[in-house]
Amino acid sequence: GQQLNQSPQSMFIQEGEDVSMNCTSSSIFNTWLWYKQDPGEGPVLLIALYKAGELTSNGRLTAQFGITRKDSFLNISASIPSDVGIYFCAGHRSRGGANNLFFGTGTRLTVIP
Amino acid sequence: NAGVTQTPKFQVLKTGQSMTLQCAQDMNHEYMSWYRQDPGMGLRLIHYSVGAGITDQGEVPNGYNVSRSTTEDFPLRLLSAAPSQTSVYFCASSTTGRKEFFGPGTRLTVL
């Protein structure tokens, strides 16, 4: 199946620091999405990106759709304790109406107060 | 709106048993999907549906059946549970198949 490589796998940062994570693929995607998952919960959509080069913000979160359409980046500024969780990237590719949404393996973020 | 709801939240099965995981959404979404989440592997698509009466296989469909008789409901059936099906199962829905809204998950253990 389609493999999305997400890095880093885990991060330990001090409260107030900025965070960067990325996702790369060998295939082109039409849409990139970033999700956050809290323990025992389902993933929650943070940001959706629809075209190459697009830069979109959601509060302290900023994500970019890579120019090659094979990668995406997520930045979190001034981290706070509630940012703790697992962040997943997902790429979507339309094919005759089929639902082709592929997920990365996740970045586990720990924020130290 | 309740969003996407799943039942049960936890389930333990013995090898060979069958069961159905329930999923419902009240957002009138056409697309519904089932994913499984295993440690270190992210989420993988099992089956999906683009509307009532239409279903298709995802990346890991073996051992699972689905049906979509209504827009709201999308049950996932395990025909003969195996230990390899121990996982956390998430149901999701969306309008276009892209921006998925996830349910809270069902944690399944097969002994």
Side-chain angles (χ1 to χ4, degrees):
Chain A
Q2 176 66 54
Q3 190 77 16
L4 269 66
N5 301 307
Q6 195 170 340
S7 64
Q9 286 187 331
S10 62
M11 303 181 72
F12 292 81
I13 62 169
Q14 291 288 138
E15 182 177 357
E17 288 183 348
D18 296 343
V19 174
S20 292
M21 59 189 78
N22 68 77
C23 197
T24 60
S25 170
S26 58
S27 302
I28 290 172
F29 288 107
N30 297 326
T31 302
W32 282 96
L33 307 107
W34 285 91
Y35 286 84
K36 181 189 179 214
Q37 185 177 28
D38 292 325
E41 303 291 332
V44 174
L45 182 65
L46 299 173
I47 292 178
L49 303 154
Y50 299 104
K51 58 183 180 180
E54 179 181 352
L55 187 71
T56 297
S57 293
N58 179 7
R60 294 178 295 105
L61 278 62
T62 301
Q64 184 163 22
F65 192 142
I67 291 292
T68 65
R69 296 168 64 192
K70 295 182 179 181
D71 56 6
S72 181
F73 308 87
L74 177 69
N75 296 315
I76 305 173
S77 63
S79 59
I80 58 178
S82 63
D83 290 335
V84 166
I86 303 177
Y87 292 80
F88 290 98
C89 63
H92 182 270
R93 193 168 50 235
S94 299
R95 187 176 61 194
N99 183 11
N100 294 285
L101 187 63
F102 301 94
F103 282 81
T105 52
T107 294
R108 184 180 296 272
L109 179 64
T110 301
V111 180
I112 303 167
Chain B
N1 288 351
V4 179
T5 57
Q6 292 183 237
T7 55
K9 195 162 180 65
F10 301 94
Q11 183 71 50
V12 179
L13 293 177
K14 295 181 179 179
T15 296
Q17 286 185 315
S18 61
M19 80 157 295
T20 299
L21 307 185
Q22 301 292 343
C23 175
Q25 54 94 7
D26 61 359
M27 298 175 282
N28 202 32
H29 285 167
E30 289 298 318
Y31 283 77
M32 295 189 74
S33 306
W34 276 101
Y35 295 85
R36 60 178 288 172
Q37 184 176 32
D38 301 298
M41 298 195 70
L43 289 92
R44 292 181 293 169
L45 183 65
I46 304 171
H47 285 286
Y48 65 96
S49 169
V50 300
I54 305 169
T55 63
D56 207 344
Q57 297 181 349
E59 183 183 357
V60 288
N62 292 340
Y64 308 95
N65 275 357
V66 293
S67 59
R68 185 93 181 272
S69 56
T70 67
T71 298
E72 295 78 18
D73 301 298
F74 191 43
L76 178 72
R77 297 183 186 84
L78 280 70
L79 306 174
S80 178
S84 60
Q85 293 179 304
T86 293
S87 187
V88 182
Y89 291 85
F90 289 100
C91 179
S93 73
S94 64
T95 54
T96 63
R98 290 188 293 180
K99 294 169 64 173
E100 297 267 54
F101 291 88
F102 285 85
T106 294
R107 187 174 296 273
L108 176 67
T109 301
V110 182
L111 303 175

